[in-house]
């Protein structure tokens, strides 16, 4: 359990916040009152919020939160509920007194202000996800690749676009082996898979995936066979002498939203009827049963999971199978239509990052005899992108 601040500790020093984010003081406090188990705070600009007393007590650094790790050490399940007795504010510090405790707790007023604004919530500081169609995105929005490797401002712009549109491109990265890893590690920790830590996408004998052929690939997400699909995929074009084999991308969120509005029965089938997706391989057997479109608690489209190559069988009542097939066909027709499909050449030195739980990616067939085509890729979990964006955002507030 975290210990109280040592006796005689300097009270004029600003307390630490229970996280590593900066907390500017914000507007002056207009009122601060204790209302039973709640602390009520109001600011001069009209914002107000009530804070539950036990939450304040367990978020007191040194008396509830470890000052080094910023992890909570106070376990309220092992003690009587703390009772708030008094509150006062001076010079941007809120001091709270507690029944039965000799020492008060001290909190940054800026931390309370940020909590009142919702800055501690999961989506705080993250850009909204914006659906797009082919007219809005004829090619991926692009940024300078070498600059993204060294300049956090460029990196942040690229990652903001990635989160917003599910797709963004870096250009001018050359063709060196491992470049995709260098870029990925600017974001977070690379996720390995049955394809390896890095995977080389090129035509080869005895392939274990259609990606390693010269065949066309219809729009799909990678590895819907897993409990959790990889959140992000990065693909770097190291070399491409082929004149065909254009890359394709379509926003699965935009397609699903259009079907919700225009064909609600199709949308209902896509969100409720599960398919089995499986990796057929000599040495492993991954399987997952899921609907093609998953919704979040708020009803918004949260995830798209589809691969024609890995779709095994319908996992539903017999009477639902025909409409499941019809809904699947309709969604993939839209994904391949001029309304939604972004088709573009993959030039040497280009690197694309895309949301693998949103973007249906593919390629046209290419002719290996016309030149060498070599791509290298890797996966990241979405958490890595969101974590990096939060850190870049909070560093910008410091």
């Amino acid at each position: 359990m975290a210990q109280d601040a040592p006796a005689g500790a300097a009270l004029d020093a600003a307390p630490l916040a229970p996280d590593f984010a900066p907390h500017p003081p914000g507007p002056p406090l207009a009122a601060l009152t204790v209302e039973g188990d709640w602390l009520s705070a109001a600011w001069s600009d009209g914002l107000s919020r009530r804070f539950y007393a036990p939450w304040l007590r367990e978020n007191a650094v040194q008396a509830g939160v470890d000052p080094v790790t910023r992890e909570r050490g106070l376990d309220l399940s092992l003690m009587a509920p703390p009772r708030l007795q008094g509150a006062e504010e001076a010079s941007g510090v809120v001091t709270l007194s507690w029944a039965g405790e000799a020492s008060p707790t001290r909190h940054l007023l800026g931390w309370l202000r940020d909590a009142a604004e919702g800055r501690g919530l999961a989506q705080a500081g993250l850009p909204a996800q914006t659906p797009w169609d082919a007219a809005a995105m004829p090619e991926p929005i692009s940024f300078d690749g070498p600059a993204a490797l060294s300049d956090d401002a460029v990196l942040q712009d690229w990652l903001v676009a990635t989160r917003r549109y599910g797709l963004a491109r870096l250009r001018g990265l050359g063709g060196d082996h491992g470049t995709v890893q260098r870029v990925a590690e600017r974001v977070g920790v690379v996720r390995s898979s049955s394809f390896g830590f890095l995977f080389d996408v090129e035509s080869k004998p005895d392939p274990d995936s259609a990606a390693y052929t010269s065949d066309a690939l219809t729009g799909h997400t990678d590895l819907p066979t897993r409990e959790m699909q990889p959140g992000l995929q990065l693909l770097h074009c190291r070399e491409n002498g082929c004149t065909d084999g254009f890359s394709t991308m379509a926003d699965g969120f935009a397609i699903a939203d259009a079907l919700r509005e225009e064909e609600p029965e199709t949308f209902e089938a896509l969100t409720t009827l599960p398919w089995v997706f499986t990796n057929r391989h000599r040495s492993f057997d991954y399987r997952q049963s899921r609907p093609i479109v998953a919704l979040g608690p708020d009803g918004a489209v949260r995830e798209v999971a589809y691969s024609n190559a890995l779709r095994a069988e319908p996992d539903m009542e017999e009477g639902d199978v025909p409409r499941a097939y019809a809904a699947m066909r309709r969604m993939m027709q839209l994904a391949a239509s001029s309304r939604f499909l972004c088709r573009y050449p993959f030039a040497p030195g280009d690197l694309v990052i895309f949301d693998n739980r949103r973007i249906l990616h593919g390629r046209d067939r290419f002719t290996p005899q016309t030149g060498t085509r070599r791509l290298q890729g890797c996966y990241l979990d979405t958490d890595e992108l969101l974590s990096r964006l939060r850190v870049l955002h909070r560093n910008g507030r410091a």
Side-chain angles (χ1 to χ4, degrees):
M1 179 179 293
Q3 300 297 313
D4 286 346
L11 293 180
D12 56 347
L16 296 174
D19 54 28
F20 292 97
H23 297 284
L29 196 62
L32 189 70
T33 57
V34 175
E35 301 173 353
D37 289 333
W38 298 84
L39 176 70
S40 179
W43 282 265
S44 59
D45 63 352
L47 179 66
S48 63
R49 182 177 165 182
R50 297 205 313 161
F51 302 93
Y52 191 46
W55 180 77
L56 292 168
R57 179 63 184 80
E58 67 183 355
N59 276 288
V61 178
Q62 293 184 319
V65 170
D66 186 277
V68 177
T69 66
R70 310 294 169 94
E71 292 181 346
R72 182 167 296 134
L74 186 67
D75 189 343
L76 292 183
S77 69
L78 304 178
M79 57 185 286
R83 292 173 49 211
L84 182 60
Q85 282 191 321
E88 59 182 26
E89 185 267 336
S91 302
V93 175
V94 174
T95 302
L96 305 178
S97 57
W98 304 88
E101 298 191 36
S103 300
T105 61
R106 302 169 70 243
H107 311 261
L108 286 174
L109 178 60
W111 173 70
L112 287 178
R113 172 71 186 202
D114 282 350
E117 293 179 355
R119 291 185 180 271
L121 300 179
Q123 296 303 314
L126 300 177
Q129 293 178 294
T130 304
W132 53 267
D133 57 18
M137 185 87 69
E139 287 199 13
I141 185 171
S142 299
F143 300 85
D144 182 87
L149 283 169
S150 59
D151 186 335
D152 279 356
V154 178
L155 177 69
Q156 184 173 16
D157 289 344
W158 179 55
L159 296 182
V160 165
T162 300
R163 178 61 177 172
R164 180 169 290 134
Y165 303 112
L167 170 65
R169 179 170 61 186
L170 296 179
R171 313 210 76 170
L173 284 169
D176 289 348
H177 180 280
T179 294
V180 70
Q181 180 178 345
R182 290 179 59 210
V183 173
E185 289 176 347
R186 283 281 281 155
V187 183
V189 179
V190 175
R191 169 177 166 172
S192 190
S193 73
S194 55
F195 298 130
F197 186 74
L198 303 180
F199 45 87
D200 295 303
V201 184
E202 52 190 274
S203 181
K204 60 185 180 181
D206 194 27
D208 59 2
S209 168
Y212 304 140
T213 71
S214 59
D215 296 339
L217 300 177
T218 57
H220 64 284
T221 62
D222 274 19
L223 304 183
T225 58
R226 309 302 166 87
E227 179 181 8
M228 185 64 72
Q229 295 185 103
L232 298 163
Q233 183 171 169
L234 291 82
L235 279 176
H236 172 221
C237 182
R238 299 183 58 206
E239 184 178 0
N240 189 6
C242 300
T243 56
D244 48 9
F246 279 25
S247 293
T248 63
M249 301 277 179
D251 186 353
F253 285 8
I255 296 168
D257 285 342
L259 288 170
R260 188 205 301 259
E261 178 69 23
E262 300 164 14
E263 303 178 31
E265 292 183 358
T266 300
F267 180 80
E268 188 274 337
L270 289 168
T271 57
T272 60
L273 301 179
W275 294 84
V276 175
F277 295 93
T278 181
N279 284 109
R280 301 179 175 94
H281 196 271
R282 300 179 185 91
S283 60
F284 53 77
D285 188 343
Y286 297 102
R287 301 183 198 182
Q288 197 66 220
S289 179
R290 64 203 322 157
I292 294 172
V293 176
L295 304 179
D298 59 356
V301 177
R302 182 186 64 191
E303 181 176 329
V304 173
Y306 183 78
S307 171
N308 184 64
L310 305 181
R311 182 170 51 82
E313 58 187 89
D315 185 14
M316 60 196 74
E317 297 294 330
E318 180 182 291
D320 289 325
V321 172
R323 68 190 186 97
Y325 267 93
M328 175 269 294
R329 283 195 299 268
R330 182 60 180 146
M331 181 166 186
M332 298 318 296
Q333 286 169 357
L334 288 178
S337 71
S338 59
R339 176 180 175 185
F340 289 104
L341 190 65
C342 165
R343 175 181 274 113
Y344 61 95
F346 211 165
D350 284 357
L351 183 149
V352 291
I353 184 173
F354 54 91
D355 186 334
N356 187 57
R357 300 176 197 156
R358 172 180 176 179
I359 302 297
L360 295 159
H361 69 285
R363 70 160 183 248
D364 297 340
R365 179 179 178 83
F366 66 90
T367 309
Q369 293 80 3
T370 63
T372 301
R373 176 187 168 104
R374 294 192 300 165
L375 312 180
Q376 191 168 60
C378 66
Y379 297 122
L380 293 169
D381 282 324
T382 304
D383 285 339
E384 304 298 333
L385 168 69
L386 303 187
S387 170
R388 192 72 169 117
L389 278 172
R390 293 187 189 104
V391 171
L392 290 167
H393 177 74
R394 81 186 186 199
N395 288 348
R397 295 188 77 215

